[in-house]
Amino acid sequence: QVQLQESGPGLVKPSETLSLTCTISGGSISGYYWAWLRQPPGEGLEFIGNVYETGSTNYSPSLRSRVAISVDTSKNQLSLKLTSVTAADTAVYFCARRHKLVNYFDYWGQGTLVTVSS
Amino acid sequence: EIVMTQSPASLSVSPGERATLSCRASQSVINNLAWYQQQRGQAPRLLMFGASTRATGTPARFSGSGSGTEFTLTISSLQPEDFAVYYCQQYNNWPLAFGGGTKVEIK
């Protein structure tokens, strides 16, 4: 059974960079796209972007200028960096596996809350 | 960008009753639509894909229908564990987009 676990700081100061890691266990990172999504408190889900094992990425147009997603196949990990954060970036951040052939998400991490505050 | 709109925002239903949730796309997504269930404090769980195909582990009381721009998720007889928030997601076009969710509450 594939399991995903997000990790990283729970508090980030405004204008700084949010950095998170997702560790995948119970399966290989190879052959799949891996995504980051987020959910502001009390709100809906937002797709941030995804990465393939080759490093190929797709990003949401609304976040493209500030986001970078990468993958480390040797560690079975993917990473998220979001620069110049503001309070609007406060959210639960999820990593998820995109289905091999189509763009829905079949495995999710539990999520990690990141608060942007000074 | 495709905008996904879910209605109603919340729905009060008694256990054992039927619930019908709607999802509308601003342009056709064919049948490239998924539904997710999110319990409080948990990650979303994939329920349906291809508009009407149940994901592994999804009970038969859940059914999906629709194509193009109009989709429906029906829960035939609500069980206690079904009270949650449900999201639709289109995956026909980039960027991928979710609806705002429908909260199914106990009446």
Side-chain angles (χ1 to χ4, degrees), chain A residues 25-116:
Chain A
S25 58
S28 174
I29 204 167
S30 298
Y32 290 91
Y33 282 85
W34 301 89
W36 287 98
L37 304 97
R38 69 181 183 178
Q39 184 172 38
E43 297 186 24
L45 296 161
E46 179 182 21
F47 171 76
I48 298 171
N50 59 217
V51 63
Y52 191 60
E53 59 172 318
T54 58
S56 172
T57 53
N58 301 97
Y59 296 129
S60 168
S62 65
L63 294 169
R64 181 176 291 132
S65 64
R66 297 194 292 130
V67 69
I69 297 175
S70 60
V71 64
D72 185 335
T73 55
S74 67
K75 295 181 179 178
N76 248 27
Q77 290 180 334
L78 67 152
S79 297
L80 169 71
K81 291 192 186 301
L82 183 66
T83 62
S84 304
V85 297
T86 69
D89 295 310
T90 294
V92 175
Y93 285 76
F94 296 98
C95 57
R97 191 182 81 172
R98 234 186 66 186
H99 187 275
K100 215 164 196 174
L101 300 176
V102 287
N103 302 329
Y104 57 80
F105 305 101
D106 54 5
Y107 287 94
W108 295 67
Q110 278 300 107
T112 187
L113 174 63
V114 179
T115 301
V116 178

Side-chain angles (χ1 to χ4, degrees), chain B residues 15-60:
Chain B
E17 290 190 338
R18 181 187 192 94
T20 302
L21 289 65
S22 295
C23 175
R24 173 177 291 178
S26 60
Q27 63 188 75
S28 177
V29 297
I30 313 177
N31 69 335
N32 294 313
L33 186 102
W35 288 95
Y36 301 85
Q37 177 194 66
Q38 187 176 34
Q39 303 282 2
R40 181 186 292 272
Q42 296 187 18
R45 170 197 159 202
L46 178 68
L47 279 181
M48 314 280 297
F49 59 90
S52 59
T53 303
R54 284 187 290 273
T56 302
T58 300

